[in-house]
Amino acid sequence: GTETFNKLALSVGLLFLWPMGTGMIKSIVNVFGAKQFHPLLQSSLIESYYVSFYMCINVGSLIGGFCAPILAQRNVTYAYAVCVIMLGAGLVSFLLGTPRYVQSKPSGTLFSANKGILGRDVKAGGMVTIFRICILILPFAITYSQMATTFIVQGTVMRKAYGVLDAASMNNADALSVLTFGYSIGAVLYPALAKRGIRIPTTTKFAIGSAFGALAMMWALMVDRMIHAEYAATGQPVSVLWQAGSYTLIGIGEIFCISTAYEAAFSAAPPEKKVLASAVNLFSYGGIPNVLCIFLYNVCSPWFQNSRGTTEISRLEDYATAHVGKYFELLLVICLLGVVVNLLPPVRDYVANAETAAAEAFKTPMMHKRPVQNKGELAAAGDDEESSLLTIDRHRAYLKYGTEPVLLKQGSMHANPFQGDKKRAGKHMKKAMVSRLYQTTTKQPKKLVPPSTAVLSRQDSL
């Protein structure tokens, strides 16, 4: 008999299973990877990590973009089967690395009214702040969403390149752009700046990414003018390769906006809510922009109408009578607005303060402990952790003659505290100091000496 496609299974998979699985793994895996680094001493490595993480996502996108359509033309089942096999291989690979992972025990509560990341009690915890930070890339995210909508509409009326590359295939130009420029930015630019003590502020990265989004809209607008001009002159379509510029510029913007948003959500979140913050970030750049794009399309629908008054513009002659270029002009203005907002000093200071306050919430071992003198102090001494920023005064002696710990190999850090002191050059930091800093040894608590005994001992010594 005639085979029929199970639409119910497709609906359940696409509308329930796929969003649930994507939301869970995307919000967890990036945070787990970032927690392999020290949030303060290796902050520059976290910055490069998120670029690499986003590049890896696009490796799969690039391979799938070429292989899946070819397999689907032969057998759809085979195309989906390959995806399932690759997901299984990824899971096995992840499990094999378990002995090498840094794994911290869960702490805190998720939905209780704990102190927010700004150091005061707030009902929403730190998620309101995370949401405010993440929506700063909303203008770019709106343009990013055009790759699956308006860019496809524009590409359908353009001529295939080499007879095989169509509008859908041009999405691979975005993945290639992310891989190429992601390596240049994450492996070359950021480390070079870190060596010079320079770190680009989060909002500045957002502004740079939004600027590239604006350039992408300008390129799309130029292609739209080319389509109209060529059709008016010869009645022929232009090559779809002209769209590569838009996809490439969007890819560069993704490195500065989306990968940085992952990093900002991790850095500005309280220690016990980093996964929730990652989910908020995913919703901010993946969910809200799609809803806004639907709203914008309905409001601007007259621009997508042909001479017959319908929105069917998949043919060149119909597209030539529409005004899609006006929609690109609107998106250009939205992106430029994003650039301006992210460059405002109050916005920059708000994000910087949120990241600093989150760093204060991170706990590190105390470098030194003074003897406990009474029962009140004995109860307070039970907590062997304090704010990481409060330890800077003690830690400053360790970093006084150097810059910061340098990662020589995974799991091993070394710094020369006497780097800048010629008189003390060649001396080594005491082993006890390293032990206290990184908790490499377990120190037995000192016995309490009654005050009277201490006085007598002093008298005896006299």
Side-chain angles (χ1 to χ4, degrees):
T2 304
E3 295 183 0
T4 58
F5 193 81
N6 193 333
K7 293 183 179 180
L8 178 60
L10 179 64
S11 300
V12 173
L14 293 180
L15 300 180
F16 178 70
L17 297 177
W18 180 261
M20 183 175 65
T22 301
M24 291 174 62
I25 192 171
K26 276 192 173 183
S27 61
I28 294 175
V29 69
N30 74 88
V31 173
F32 183 81
K35 283 188 174 181
Q36 305 305 302
F37 305 94
H38 193 287
L40 297 179
L41 303 181
Q42 296 177 308
S43 59
S44 61
L45 296 179
I46 295 178
E47 183 180 46
S48 297
Y49 157 76
Y50 271 108
V51 176
S52 301
F53 167 78
Y54 196 72
M55 288 173 60
C56 290
I57 295 177
N58 282 270
V59 169
S61 174
L62 181 63
I63 297 175
F66 280 113
C67 297
I70 297 175
L71 291 174
Q73 292 177 4
R74 296 178 178 272
N75 191 305
V76 176
T77 303
Y78 291 163
Y80 280 111
V82 170
C83 298
V84 173
I85 293 172
M86 295 304 295
L87 285 172
L91 177 60
V92 172
S93 175
F94 176 79
L95 293 177
L96 290 176
T98 301
R100 301 179 61 87
Y101 299 144
V102 176
Q103 302 182 55
S104 57
K105 295 181 179 179
S107 61
T109 54
L110 188 60
F111 296 105
S112 62
N114 293 333
K115 288 185 178 181
I117 64 173
L118 296 182
R120 59 178 183 273
D121 291 330
V122 290
K123 295 182 179 179
M127 295 305 102
V128 174
T129 301
I130 298 298
F131 178 75
R132 290 173 179 172
I133 294 175
C134 292
I135 61 173
L136 291 175
I137 68 169
L138 190 59
F140 174 81
I142 292 176
T143 60
Y144 170 76
S145 300
Q146 304 309 309
M147 291 194 299
T149 54
T150 315
F151 285 3
I152 299 296
V153 172
Q154 186 185 67
T156 54
V157 300
M158 303 176 74
R159 186 179 69 255
K160 288 184 179 181
Y162 309 111
V164 292
L165 297 179
D166 56 3
S169 301
M170 294 307 297
N171 247 306
N172 294 314
D174 170 71
L176 287 172
S177 174
V178 170
L179 294 176
T180 303
F181 292 98
Y183 175 81
S184 301
I185 295 171
V188 179
L189 177 61
Y190 287 166
L193 293 177
K195 288 182 179 179
R196 292 165 175 78
I198 301 173
R199 185 178 185 276
I200 304 176
T202 298
T203 52
T204 303
K205 294 180 184 178
F206 288 166
I208 295 173
S210 299
F212 276 103
L215 291 175
M217 293 302 102
M218 293 177 62
W219 190 282
L221 183 61
M222 180 194 72
V223 173
D224 179 78
R225 301 287 173 82
M226 291 176 58
I227 293 174
H228 284 78
E230 186 68 18
Y231 179 77
T234 64
Q236 299 297 320
V238 298
S239 174
V240 74
L241 287 179
W242 281 105
Q243 279 195 316
S246 297
Y247 285 101
T248 300
L249 292 170
I250 288 289
I252 301 174
E254 290 175 52
I255 298 299
F256 285 104
C257 278
I258 297 181
S259 66
T260 303
Y262 276 111
E263 178 193 353
F266 176 83
S267 301
E272 71 278 5
K273 295 184 179 180
K274 293 190 181 295
V275 173
L276 181 59
S278 178
V280 171
N281 173 53
L282 289 171
F283 175 73
S284 299
Y285 87 81
I288 297 178
N290 290 333
V291 175
L292 291 178
C293 286
I294 295 174
F295 173 77
L296 287 175
Y297 177 82
N298 290 329
V299 172
C300 304
S301 57
W303 295 343
F304 292 88
Q305 294 179 357
N306 55 31
S307 57
R308 300 190 304 273
T310 65
T311 56
E312 180 59 41
I313 54 175
S314 58
R315 298 187 305 173
L316 179 58
E317 53 269 23
D318 292 329
Y319 183 93
T321 59
H323 302 85
V324 182
K326 292 183 179 180
Y327 187 69
F328 289 132
E329 292 175 357
L330 175 61
L331 296 176
L332 172 61
V333 173
I334 292 175
C335 268
L336 292 177
L337 179 63
V339 175
V340 173
V341 170
N342 281 288
L343 290 178
L344 293 176
V347 175
R348 177 199 60 204
D349 295 340
Y350 178 84
V351 176
N353 291 336
E355 293 174 338
T356 302
E360 289 181 349
F362 184 80
K363 302 293 184 178
T364 55
M366 294 179 63
M367 287 286 293
H368 302 283
K369 296 180 182 178
R370 63 186 180 87
V372 180
Q373 298 297 333
N374 52 51
K375 293 182 178 180
E377 292 184 352
L378 179 62
D383 185 7
D384 63 347
E385 291 185 340
E386 66 178 7
S387 172
S388 58
L389 295 187
L390 294 180
T391 63
I392 287 183
D393 291 337
R394 301 183 183 95
H395 193 48
R396 190 169 294 163
Y398 169 65
L399 302 177
K400 183 175 181 181
Y401 300 99
T403 54
E404 63 178 16
V406 179
L407 183 69
L408 299 181
K409 63 179 181 179
Q410 186 65 28
S412 174
M413 288 180 292
H414 171 75
N416 181 5
F418 311 120
Q419 180 179 353
D421 192 342
K422 296 182 179 179
K423 296 181 179 180
R424 303 177 68 183
K427 293 186 177 181
H428 300 284
M429 184 172 57
K430 292 182 179 180
K431 183 178 181 180
M433 186 180 297
V434 179
S435 302
R436 294 193 188 102
L437 178 62
Y438 297 110
Q439 288 186 316
T440 55
T441 60
T442 302
K443 185 177 180 180
Q444 298 295 332
K446 295 181 179 179
K447 294 183 179 180
L448 300 180
V449 180
S452 59
T453 305
V455 174
L456 290 176
S457 299
R458 188 176 297 109
Q459 291 175 350
D460 292 340
S461 64
L462 294 174

